[in-house]
Amino acid sequence: MHPDVDHVALIQAEWRRERPDLDVSPQAVIGRLHRLAARLTVELTLVYQRYGLGEGEFDVLAALRRAGAPYERAPGELAAHTMVTTGAMTKRIDRLERAGLVTRRPAEDDRRARVVGLTEAGLRLIDEAFTAHMRNEHRLLAHLSPEEAAALQTLLTAWQHRLDGTGSAHPTP
């Protein structure tokens, strides 16, 4: 198919033909967001791969970096910040530890608990990778005007808040 073909519009037309009794208008938004999310994932992971990272490893390193010095978090806190199960987090931490990018140590207040921290190599890598990631995100958003990007941010934030039931539908700066 030609790249200018609107796949979602074609799918909707087929459903309208096959199921004229159904309103398929939500596909205009949901279908496009789904396709766009898949495309964005491909575009974003290309940058992570240049640094030898998968999306999950990038997320862990970024969550540690955002914690500020000494760049440490408990595994459960990392799981909450990256929205994965603790089992999945353990596997990510294991891979990053084998690569020399993070360390585990006993927590000072509870010797049974562990704390994960960035190594110097991990800090250097995430700083380089995050710089490239931000360049990539700017490149991807450059397809929108600043006004379009701001409007999209407002709409998506409002929708997310309403779906999550978190109250305020207005984004915070």
Side-chain angles (χ1 to χ4, degrees), residues 79-91:
H81 278 272
T82 58
M83 299 183 294
V84 298
T85 65
T86 53
M89 182 53 61
T90 298
K91 290 177 184 174

Side-chain angles (χ1 to χ4, degrees), residues 55-123:
E55 189 173 22
E57 289 83 11
F58 179 89
D59 285 348
V60 171
L61 295 177
L64 290 169
R65 180 62 172 95
R66 289 192 317 269
Y71 313 113
E72 295 179 334
R73 292 187 194 262
E77 189 181 1
L78 283 171
H81 278 272
T82 58
M83 299 183 294
V84 298
T85 65
T86 53
M89 182 53 61
T90 298
K91 290 177 184 174
R92 290 177 181 182
I93 294 168
D94 288 346
R95 286 191 297 264
L96 291 167
E97 189 174 35
R98 283 192 302 273
L101 300 173
V102 302
T103 59
R104 287 184 178 116
R105 66 168 180 79
E108 292 170 10
D109 56 340
D110 180 355
R111 304 301 281 174
R112 295 168 298 170
R114 308 299 270 168
V115 174
V116 179
L118 286 176
T119 63
E120 285 297 321
L123 178 61

Side-chain angles (χ1 to χ4, degrees), residues 122-162:
L123 178 61
R124 280 192 308 275
L125 182 69
I126 191 57
D127 278 349
E128 287 179 36
F130 187 70
T131 298
H133 173 68
M134 284 294 91
R135 270 195 310 270
N136 192 33
E137 286 195 351
H138 280 282
R139 177 187 67 82
L140 293 166
L141 278 180
H143 295 276
L144 299 175
S145 71
E147 296 79 18
E148 289 170 328
L152 184 58
Q153 176 187 340
T154 299
L155 287 170
L156 293 174
T157 301
W159 190 12
Q160 182 177 358
H161 282 290
R162 290 173 189 159

Side-chain angles (χ1 to χ4, degrees), residues 29-50:
V29 174
I30 304 290
R32 285 185 178 89
L33 280 175
H34 184 73
R35 291 178 67 84
L36 183 59
R39 173 71 190 273
L40 289 174
T41 297
V42 168
E43 296 285 341
L44 296 174
T45 55
L46 287 173
V47 171
Y48 309 150
Q49 290 168 2
R50 286 200 315 248

